[in-house]
Amino acid sequence: MQLRQLEYFIAICDAGSFSGAAVRLYVTQPSLSQQIGALEKELGADLLERGRHGITLTPAGRVFLSQAQRALQAVQDAQDSVRQVVEGRKGDVHVLTVRSVASGVLPSSAARWHSLFPSTVLRLHDFSHRRALEDAVRSGQGDIAVGPRPSPWEGPVVSLGYEEMVVIGPVGHEAEEVAEAAELAGADWVLYEPEQGMSEVVDRVAAHLEFTPRAVARTGQVSAALLFAVEGIGMTLAPENAVPLGWARHARRIGPGFYRELVAYSRKQPSQLAERYRDMLTTVALPLIAEGDLPEGAIRC
């Protein structure tokens, strides 16, 4: 059974004759009769009685008419729903990310997205480590990912900018505007558990500055590490955009400046709505630094 046959049958019922329906549908009357005949043969029942004064519905035809109308309406509703998603008037976008990005970078973009597409839903799924994020994308989860650049990666990758890593400590720890290796080597540290992706960033920074952080506490949450550091338990490392505005005075640059690139990526070309979100990320004012604006001597971590 074909949708065209249902359309033909309904048109005949509306017009009251084969000839009238043929004119409306821009098809020949023999072709119309052939399609209805094939439909009746498949159903095993006559749907229409052809008489001198037009057509009338058989008992089977009366039952079939209402079901055919519902079927075509369902198809139309499905087409309209897809069109609304493509146009950004309906639907949801599943965004996969890491926890520090979910709290530091994406809130401003979520607000912008809602203002542009208020009838859609932005669904964030955060992971503690970038490798878990990459594995989720490879397995087909989500529509698009936002996080550190994956390497290697087969699929579209769009750079969003760089976030600066800063050292956090209690008020008064900022004896110098920039924290140098000697100070960091002699300090107590609030470090991250291995399953937290920031642990790798700390290791890279420490290796570059040639010191081993002395751990006095460990946590799996960036927010907890920041709180511990502000309370004076020890220094910690975090993306500057993840530091609440009220704690900005607790943050200092490290040496020449350490920066991590963030990108939007997916396994294949994103769906229309997810592609709109990705394009929006490249134009909205994110708390990131463009590559051309990185300071001289900046170190990528």
Side-chain angles (χ1 to χ4, degrees):
M1 188 180 301
Q2 301 174 4
L3 288 177
R4 180 177 59 179
Q5 292 173 325
L6 302 185
E7 293 171 348
Y8 285 0
F9 174 69
I10 294 172
I12 293 169
C13 295
D14 290 342
S17 67
F18 277 77
S19 58
V23 171
R24 290 186 185 182
L25 296 169
Y26 299 100
V27 298
T28 63
Q29 189 169 332
S31 176
L32 193 59
S33 297
Q34 183 181 17
Q35 289 295 328
I36 297 302
L39 179 61
E40 290 176 324
K41 182 178 180 180
E42 181 174 351
L43 291 172
D46 290 336
L47 301 176
L48 301 168
E49 292 182 356
R50 301 155 179 85
R52 181 179 302 176
H53 301 292
I55 61 98
T56 58
L57 288 167
T58 67
R62 289 193 295 270
V63 171
F64 187 72
L65 176 60
S66 63
Q67 298 298 328
Q69 291 169 331
R70 289 174 59 185
L72 286 186
Q73 185 60 53
V75 171
Q76 183 61 54
D77 290 345
Q79 292 173 333
D80 290 343
S81 294
V82 171
R83 188 178 301 109
Q84 289 181 49
V85 171
V86 172
E87 295 173 355
R89 294 185 286 118
K90 186 179 179 181
D92 55 12
V93 181
H94 290 257
V95 181
L96 309 186
T97 187
V98 290
R99 287 175 183 163
S100 62
V101 173
S103 61
V105 174
L106 294 185
S108 61
S109 71
R112 176 60 175 163
W113 177 261
H114 180 67
S115 69
L116 292 172
F117 306 102
S119 297
T120 64
V121 178
L122 193 62
R123 300 183 183 275
L124 296 181
H125 309 267
D126 58 67
F127 297 82
S128 60
H129 201 288
R130 65 174 182 83
R131 284 197 292 272
L133 169 62
E134 293 169 18
D135 289 343
V137 179
R138 288 191 182 96
S139 68
Q141 298 181 42
D143 298 312
I144 194 168
V146 179
R149 177 179 287 274
S151 181
W153 188 259
E154 294 183 3
V157 179
V158 176
S159 181
L160 302 176
Y162 290 78
E163 57 181 359
E164 183 174 7
M165 297 297 160
V166 294
V167 63
I168 309 296
V171 172
H173 86 123
E174 64 275 21
E176 300 292 339
E177 183 177 347
V178 177
E180 300 294 349
E183 178 189 355
L184 301 180
D188 292 333
W189 279 82
V190 178
L191 298 179
Y192 298 97
E193 297 289 359
E195 64 269 17
Q196 163 58 249
M198 282 299 300
S199 62
E200 287 188 354
V201 179
V202 174
D203 290 342
R204 293 194 198 103
V205 172
H208 185 88
L209 297 178
E210 299 182 338
F211 79 95
T212 300
R214 183 172 63 248
V216 295
R218 288 187 179 272
T219 178
Q221 299 289 336
V222 172
S223 58
L226 291 172
L227 183 58
F228 288 178
V230 168
E231 291 296 326
I233 296 175
M235 289 185 175
T236 198
L237 190 76
E240 184 179 29
N241 55 64
V243 180
L245 291 178
W247 289 354
R249 58 198 177 112
H250 294 267
R252 287 189 293 159
R253 172 174 289 177
I254 307 167
F258 287 79
Y259 298 84
R260 179 173 68 169
E261 185 184 21
L262 297 181
V263 300
Y265 65 98
S266 55
R267 190 177 57 171
K268 57 185 180 180
Q269 190 63 26
S271 63
Q272 293 97 331
L273 198 58
E275 190 171 17
R276 287 174 182 266
Y277 179 74
R278 184 189 65 186
D279 294 343
M280 186 270 298
L281 288 177
T282 64
T283 57
V284 72
L286 297 175
L288 299 174
I289 303 170
E291 183 165 10
D293 294 332
L294 292 175
E296 186 176 353
I299 299 169
R300 294 165 175 79
C301 60

